[in-house]
mmCIF file with all atom_site columns, all heavy atoms in Angstrom:
data_model
loop_
_atom_site.group_PDB
_atom_site.id
_atom_site.type_symbol
_atom_site.label_atom_id
_atom_site.label_alt_id
_atom_site.label_comp_id
_atom_site.label_asym_id
_atom_site.label_entity_id
_atom_site.label_seq_id
_atom_site.pdbx_PDB_ins_code
_atom_site.Cartn_x
_atom_site.Cartn_y
_atom_site.Cartn_z
_atom_site.occupancy
_atom_site.B_iso_or_equiv
_atom_site.pdbx_formal_charge
_atom_site.auth_seq_id
_atom_site.auth_comp_id
_atom_site.auth_asym_id
_atom_site.auth_atom_id
_atom_site.pdbx_PDB_model_num
ATOM 1   N N   . PRO A 1 194 ? 101.617 23.479 56.292 1.00 0.00 ? 194 PRO A N   1
ATOM 2   C CA  . PRO A 1 194 ? 103.039 23.166 56.364 1.00 0.00 ? 194 PRO A CA  1
ATOM 3   C C   . PRO A 1 194 ? 103.270 21.706 56.732 1.00 0.00 ? 194 PRO A C   1
ATOM 4   O O   . PRO A 1 194 ? 102.379 21.014 57.240 1.00 0.00 ? 194 PRO A O   1
ATOM 5   C CB  . PRO A 1 194 ? 103.538 24.093 57.477 1.00 0.00 ? 194 PRO A CB  1
ATOM 6   C CG  . PRO A 1 194 ? 102.352 24.242 58.369 1.00 0.00 ? 194 PRO A CG  1
ATOM 7   C CD  . PRO A 1 194 ? 101.145 24.214 57.480 1.00 0.00 ? 194 PRO A CD  1
ATOM 8   N N   . GLU A 1 195 ? 104.471 21.240 56.480 1.00 0.00 ? 195 GLU A N   1
ATOM 9   C CA  . GLU A 1 195 ? 104.873 19.918 56.958 1.00 0.00 ? 195 GLU A CA  1
ATOM 10  C C   . GLU A 1 195 ? 105.088 19.996 58.464 1.00 0.00 ? 195 GLU A C   1
ATOM 11  O O   . GLU A 1 195 ? 105.607 20.988 58.980 1.00 0.00 ? 195 GLU A O   1
ATOM 12  C CB  . GLU A 1 195 ? 106.166 19.492 56.256 1.00 0.00 ? 195 GLU A CB  1
ATOM 13  C CG  . GLU A 1 195 ? 106.620 18.086 56.644 1.00 0.00 ? 195 GLU A CG  1
ATOM 14  C CD  . GLU A 1 195 ? 107.927 17.710 55.968 1.00 0.00 ? 195 GLU A CD  1
ATOM 15  O OE1 . GLU A 1 195 ? 108.365 18.479 55.070 1.00 0.00 ? 195 GLU A OE1 1
ATOM 16  O OE2 . GLU A 1 195 ? 108.517 16.676 56.339 1.00 0.00 ? 195 GLU A OE2 1
ATOM 17  N N   . VAL A 1 196 ? 104.692 18.948 59.175 1.00 0.00 ? 196 VAL A N   1
ATOM 18  C CA  . VAL A 1 196 ? 104.763 18.954 60.641 1.00 0.00 ? 196 VAL A CA  1
ATOM 19  C C   . VAL A 1 196 ? 105.890 18.023 61.087 1.00 0.00 ? 196 VAL A C   1
ATOM 20  O O   . VAL A 1 196 ? 105.968 16.866 60.664 1.00 0.00 ? 196 VAL A O   1
ATOM 21  C CB  . VAL A 1 196 ? 103.425 18.495 61.278 1.00 0.00 ? 196 VAL A CB  1
ATOM 22  C CG1 . VAL A 1 196 ? 103.518 18.536 62.798 1.00 0.00 ? 196 VAL A CG1 1
ATOM 23  C CG2 . VAL A 1 196 ? 102.284 19.382 60.777 1.00 0.00 ? 196 VAL A CG2 1
ATOM 24  N N   . LEU A 1 197 ? 106.733 18.536 61.962 1.00 0.00 ? 197 LEU A N   1
ATOM 25  C CA  . LEU A 1 197 ? 107.805 17.756 62.577 1.00 0.00 ? 197 LEU A CA  1
ATOM 26  C C   . LEU A 1 197 ? 107.575 17.751 64.074 1.00 0.00 ? 197 LEU A C   1
ATOM 27  O O   . LEU A 1 197 ? 107.278 18.795 64.661 1.00 0.00 ? 197 LEU A O   1
ATOM 28  C CB  . LEU A 1 197 ? 109.184 18.370 62.277 1.00 0.00 ? 197 LEU A CB  1
ATOM 29  C CG  . LEU A 1 197 ? 109.560 18.572 60.805 1.00 0.00 ? 197 LEU A CG  1
ATOM 30  C CD1 . LEU A 1 197 ? 110.912 19.256 60.708 1.00 0.00 ? 197 LEU A CD1 1
ATOM 31  C CD2 . LEU A 1 197 ? 109.569 17.247 60.067 1.00 0.00 ? 197 LEU A CD2 1
ATOM 32  N N   . CYS A 1 198 ? 107.706 16.591 64.684 1.00 0.00 ? 198 CYS A N   1
ATOM 33  C CA  . CYS A 1 198 ? 107.486 16.483 66.122 1.00 0.00 ? 198 CYS A CA  1
ATOM 34  C C   . CYS A 1 198 ? 108.723 15.867 66.775 1.00 0.00 ? 198 CYS A C   1
ATOM 35  O O   . CYS A 1 198 ? 109.076 14.717 66.490 1.00 0.00 ? 198 CYS A O   1
ATOM 36  C CB  . CYS A 1 198 ? 106.248 15.643 66.425 1.00 0.00 ? 198 CYS A CB  1
ATOM 37  S SG  . CYS A 1 198 ? 105.891 15.523 68.207 1.00 0.00 ? 198 CYS A SG  1
ATOM 38  N N   . LEU A 1 199 ? 109.352 16.623 67.643 1.00 0.00 ? 199 LEU A N   1
ATOM 39  C CA  . LEU A 1 199 ? 110.499 16.140 68.392 1.00 0.00 ? 199 LEU A CA  1
ATOM 40  C C   . LEU A 1 199 ? 110.014 15.767 69.791 1.00 0.00 ? 199 LEU A C   1
ATOM 41  O O   . LEU A 1 199 ? 109.550 16.638 70.545 1.00 0.00 ? 199 LEU A O   1
ATOM 42  C CB  . LEU A 1 199 ? 111.590 17.216 68.497 1.00 0.00 ? 199 LEU A CB  1
ATOM 43  C CG  . LEU A 1 199 ? 112.441 17.476 67.252 1.00 0.00 ? 199 LEU A CG  1
ATOM 44  C CD1 . LEU A 1 199 ? 111.619 18.081 66.125 1.00 0.00 ? 199 LEU A CD1 1
ATOM 45  C CD2 . LEU A 1 199 ? 113.610 18.399 67.590 1.00 0.00 ? 199 LEU A CD2 1
ATOM 46  N N   . ALA A 1 200 ? 110.097 14.492 70.127 1.00 0.00 ? 200 ALA A N   1
ATOM 47  C CA  . ALA A 1 200 ? 109.550 14.025 71.394 1.00 0.00 ? 200 ALA A CA  1
ATOM 48  C C   . ALA A 1 200 ? 110.214 12.713 71.781 1.00 0.00 ? 200 ALA A C   1
ATOM 49  O O   . ALA A 1 200 ? 110.810 12.026 70.942 1.00 0.00 ? 200 ALA A O   1
ATOM 50  C CB  . ALA A 1 200 ? 108.037 13.841 71.286 1.00 0.00 ? 200 ALA A CB  1
ATOM 51  N N   . PRO A 1 201 ? 110.094 12.313 73.054 1.00 0.00 ? 201 PRO A N   1
ATOM 52  C CA  . PRO A 1 201 ? 110.693 11.032 73.473 1.00 0.00 ? 201 PRO A CA  1
ATOM 53  C C   . PRO A 1 201 ? 109.956 9.831  72.895 1.00 0.00 ? 201 PRO A C   1
ATOM 54  O O   . PRO A 1 201 ? 110.576 8.809  72.590 1.00 0.00 ? 201 PRO A O   1
ATOM 55  C CB  . PRO A 1 201 ? 110.597 11.082 74.998 1.00 0.00 ? 201 PRO A CB  1
ATOM 56  C CG  . PRO A 1 201 ? 110.378 12.521 75.341 1.00 0.00 ? 201 PRO A CG  1
ATOM 57  C CD  . PRO A 1 201 ? 109.622 13.100 74.189 1.00 0.00 ? 201 PRO A CD  1
ATOM 58  N N   . THR A 1 202 ? 108.610 9.921  72.740 1.00 0.00 ? 202 THR A N   1
ATOM 59  C CA  . THR A 1 202 ? 107.836 8.747  72.296 1.00 0.00 ? 202 THR A CA  1
ATOM 60  C C   . THR A 1 202 ? 106.862 9.144  71.183 1.00 0.00 ? 202 THR A C   1
ATOM 61  O O   . THR A 1 202 ? 106.539 10.319 70.991 1.00 0.00 ? 202 THR A O   1
ATOM 62  C CB  . THR A 1 202 ? 107.031 8.161  73.470 1.00 0.00 ? 202 THR A CB  1
ATOM 63  O OG1 . THR A 1 202 ? 106.114 9.156  73.942 1.00 0.00 ? 202 THR A OG1 1
ATOM 64  C CG2 . THR A 1 202 ? 107.967 7.748  74.605 1.00 0.00 ? 202 THR A CG2 1
ATOM 65  N N   . ARG A 1 203 ? 106.327 8.129  70.488 1.00 0.00 ? 203 ARG A N   1
ATOM 66  C CA  . ARG A 1 203 ? 105.407 8.370  69.378 1.00 0.00 ? 203 ARG A CA  1
ATOM 67  C C   . ARG A 1 203 ? 104.016 8.756  69.843 1.00 0.00 ? 203 ARG A C   1
ATOM 68  O O   . ARG A 1 203 ? 103.207 9.247  69.050 1.00 0.00 ? 203 ARG A O   1
ATOM 69  C CB  . ARG A 1 203 ? 105.311 7.121  68.495 1.00 0.00 ? 203 ARG A CB  1
ATOM 70  C CG  . ARG A 1 203 ? 106.576 6.868  67.681 1.00 0.00 ? 203 ARG A CG  1
ATOM 71  C CD  . ARG A 1 203 ? 106.374 5.708  66.718 1.00 0.00 ? 203 ARG A CD  1
ATOM 72  N NE  . ARG A 1 203 ? 107.527 5.513  65.868 1.00 0.00 ? 203 ARG A NE  1
ATOM 73  C CZ  . ARG A 1 203 ? 107.742 6.169  64.731 1.00 0.00 ? 203 ARG A CZ  1
ATOM 74  N NH1 . ARG A 1 203 ? 106.843 7.048  64.313 1.00 0.00 ? 203 ARG A NH1 1
ATOM 75  N NH2 . ARG A 1 203 ? 108.830 5.947  64.011 1.00 0.00 ? 203 ARG A NH2 1
ATOM 76  N N   . GLU A 1 204 ? 103.703 8.533  71.111 1.00 0.00 ? 204 GLU A N   1
ATOM 77  C CA  . GLU A 1 204 ? 102.362 8.881  71.586 1.00 0.00 ? 204 GLU A CA  1
ATOM 78  C C   . GLU A 1 204 ? 102.072 10.372 71.379 1.00 0.00 ? 204 GLU A C   1
ATOM 79  O O   . GLU A 1 204 ? 100.935 10.779 71.108 1.00 0.00 ? 204 GLU A O   1
ATOM 80  C CB  . GLU A 1 204 ? 102.210 8.523  73.065 1.00 0.00 ? 204 GLU A CB  1
ATOM 81  C CG  . GLU A 1 204 ? 102.045 7.037  73.331 1.00 0.00 ? 204 GLU A CG  1
ATOM 82  C CD  . GLU A 1 204 ? 103.355 6.262  73.179 1.00 0.00 ? 204 GLU A CD  1
ATOM 83  O OE1 . GLU A 1 204 ? 104.409 6.918  73.022 1.00 0.00 ? 204 GLU A OE1 1
ATOM 84  O OE2 . GLU A 1 204 ? 103.311 5.018  73.198 1.00 0.00 ? 204 GLU A OE2 1
ATOM 85  N N   . SER A 1 205 ? 103.102 11.217 71.501 1.00 0.00 ? 205 SER A N   1
ATOM 86  C CA  . SER A 1 205 ? 102.907 12.655 71.324 1.00 0.00 ? 205 SER A CA  1
ATOM 87  C C   . SER A 1 205 ? 102.503 12.979 69.894 1.00 0.00 ? 205 SER A C   1
ATOM 88  O O   . SER A 1 205 ? 101.751 13.918 69.635 1.00 0.00 ? 205 SER A O   1
ATOM 89  C CB  . SER A 1 205 ? 104.206 13.398 71.675 1.00 0.00 ? 205 SER A CB  1
ATOM 90  O OG  . SER A 1 205 ? 104.610 13.100 72.993 1.00 0.00 ? 205 SER A OG  1
ATOM 91  N N   . VAL A 1 206 ? 102.975 12.178 68.944 1.00 0.00 ? 206 VAL A N   1
ATOM 92  C CA  . VAL A 1 206 ? 102.670 12.413 67.535 1.00 0.00 ? 206 VAL A CA  1
ATOM 93  C C   . VAL A 1 206 ? 101.212 12.101 67.242 1.00 0.00 ? 206 VAL A C   1
ATOM 94  O O   . VAL A 1 206 ? 100.560 12.804 66.458 1.00 0.00 ? 206 VAL A O   1
ATOM 95  C CB  . VAL A 1 206 ? 103.603 11.558 66.647 1.00 0.00 ? 206 VAL A CB  1
ATOM 96  C CG1 . VAL A 1 206 ? 103.251 11.736 65.186 1.00 0.00 ? 206 VAL A CG1 1
ATOM 97  C CG2 . VAL A 1 206 ? 105.050 11.924 66.905 1.00 0.00 ? 206 VAL A CG2 1
ATOM 98  N N   . GLN A 1 207 ? 100.702 11.084 67.870 1.00 0.00 ? 207 GLN A N   1
ATOM 99  C CA  . GLN A 1 207 ? 99.320  10.680 67.605 1.00 0.00 ? 207 GLN A CA  1
ATOM 100 C C   . GLN A 1 207 ? 98.334  11.784 67.973 1.00 0.00 ? 207 GLN A C   1
ATOM 101 O O   . GLN A 1 207 ? 97.434  12.100 67.196 1.00 0.00 ? 207 GLN A O   1
ATOM 102 C CB  . GLN A 1 207 ? 98.998  9.401  68.376 1.00 0.00 ? 207 GLN A CB  1
ATOM 103 C CG  . GLN A 1 207 ? 99.839  8.207  67.926 1.00 0.00 ? 207 GLN A CG  1
ATOM 104 C CD  . GLN A 1 207 ? 99.625  6.989  68.810 1.00 0.00 ? 207 GLN A CD  1
ATOM 105 O OE1 . GLN A 1 207 ? 98.866  7.055  69.788 1.00 0.00 ? 207 GLN A OE1 1
ATOM 106 N NE2 . GLN A 1 207 ? 100.300 5.890  68.473 1.00 0.00 ? 207 GLN A NE2 1
ATOM 107 N N   . ALA A 1 208 ? 98.511  12.392 69.145 1.00 0.00 ? 208 ALA A N   1
ATOM 108 C CA  . ALA A 1 208 ? 97.608  13.470 69.558 1.00 0.00 ? 208 ALA A CA  1
ATOM 109 C C   . ALA A 1 208 ? 97.728  14.663 68.624 1.00 0.00 ? 208 ALA A C   1
ATOM 110 O O   . ALA A 1 208 ? 96.723  15.312 68.280 1.00 0.00 ? 208 ALA A O   1
ATOM 111 C CB  . ALA A 1 208 ? 97.934  13.884 70.992 1.00 0.00 ? 208 ALA A CB  1
#
Side-chain angles (χ1 to χ4, degrees):
E195 183 182 351
V196 181
L197 304 177
C198 182
L199 284 67
T202 61
R203 289 186 176 275
E204 285 75 8
S205 303
V206 177
Q207 296 173 358

